Amino acid sequence: PLLYVENTNSKINLDKNMITYGNEILLSVITSNKYRPKTTTLTITDTTIKGNILVDTNSEARINLNNVTYTGTVNGNNESQSVDVILDKTSMWYVTGHSYINKLQFQRNTSPTNYIYSYGYNIYYNASNNPELNNRTIYLPGGGRLIPVNKAS
């Protein structure tokens, strides 16, 4: 992976970067102690970036996208304790695999369809942590859906 975090709380900031790397994994977060989960916050600003985000069963992640074009899958294995994705009004997420998130945050009074292109893949979200989505299934550009579940990491 481009970014690898193991057994620590971390904050990673990528700002105005042009990054090329040979792996499909942008971020991998691993915590070996299930009784002491760790949290990683990844903030990306003014960047176009590709790669999947993997978070294991003992870890949490918060992904902040600010003026970013992101292409990838978030928590595709649905193992994490919690993954939140925050998109500012100038960001776009091109989904390349089914993704599982705890919280999806975007500009108030807009639709997630303004920020996500699905390529036919679904995003499963924790219905209880996303009241603004009203427990709705939302059809996304590209053929996928934003689907509520009782608990999605």
Side-chain angles (χ1 to χ4, degrees), residues 2-3 9 18 25 53 63 76 78 81 86 91 94 102 114 120 131 136 138 142 144:
L2 176 66
L3 303 167
N9 292 314
M18 187 65 156
I25 301 171
I53 295 173
I63 313 302
N78 192 23
Q81 286 198 1
I86 298 92
S91 291
Y94 293 92
N102 178 56
N114 296 340
R136 294 177 296 142
I138 298 170

Side-chain angles (χ1 to χ4, degrees), residues 14 16-19 21 26 42-53 63-74 85-96 114-117 119:
L14 301 175
K16 297 179 183 169
N17 288 282
M18 187 65 156
I19 300 171
Y21 59 102
L26 169 63
L42 173 61
T43 301
I44 306 172
T45 306
D46 297 329
T47 300
T48 297
I49 196 160
K50 295 180 183 179
N52 298 330
I53 295 173
I63 313 302
N64 300 304
L65 304 176
N66 305 306
N67 195 31
V68 170
T69 300
Y70 168 62
T71 302
T73 300
V74 175
V85 176
I86 298 92
L87 298 142
D88 80 341
K89 66 182 180 179
T90 61
S91 291
M92 189 72 184
W93 176 13
Y94 293 92
V95 183
T96 59
N114 296 340
Y115 309 95
I116 301 169
Y117 187 88
Y119 290 111

Side-chain angles (χ1 to χ4, degrees), residues 7-9 31-39 58-59 81:
N7 294 321
T8 189
N9 292 314
T31 304
S32 57
N33 187 338
K34 68 180 178 180
Y35 301 107
R36 302 188 122 190
K38 302 297 182 183
T39 301
N58 302 321
S59 302
Q81 286 198 1

Side-chain angles (χ1 to χ4, degrees), residues 74-115:
V74 175
N75 192 33
N77 55 9
N78 192 23
E79 290 184 354
S80 78
Q81 286 198 1
S82 175
V83 177
D84 298 343
V85 176
I86 298 92
L87 298 142
D88 80 341
K89 66 182 180 179
T90 61
S91 291
M92 189 72 184
W93 176 13
Y94 293 92
V95 183
T96 59
H98 296 306
S99 297
Y100 299 83
I101 59 176
N102 178 56
K103 174 86 176 141
L104 176 64
Q105 188 174 327
F106 48 90
Q107 185 177 0
R108 185 178 283 177
N109 298 324
T110 63
S111 170
T113 60
N114 296 340
Y115 309 95

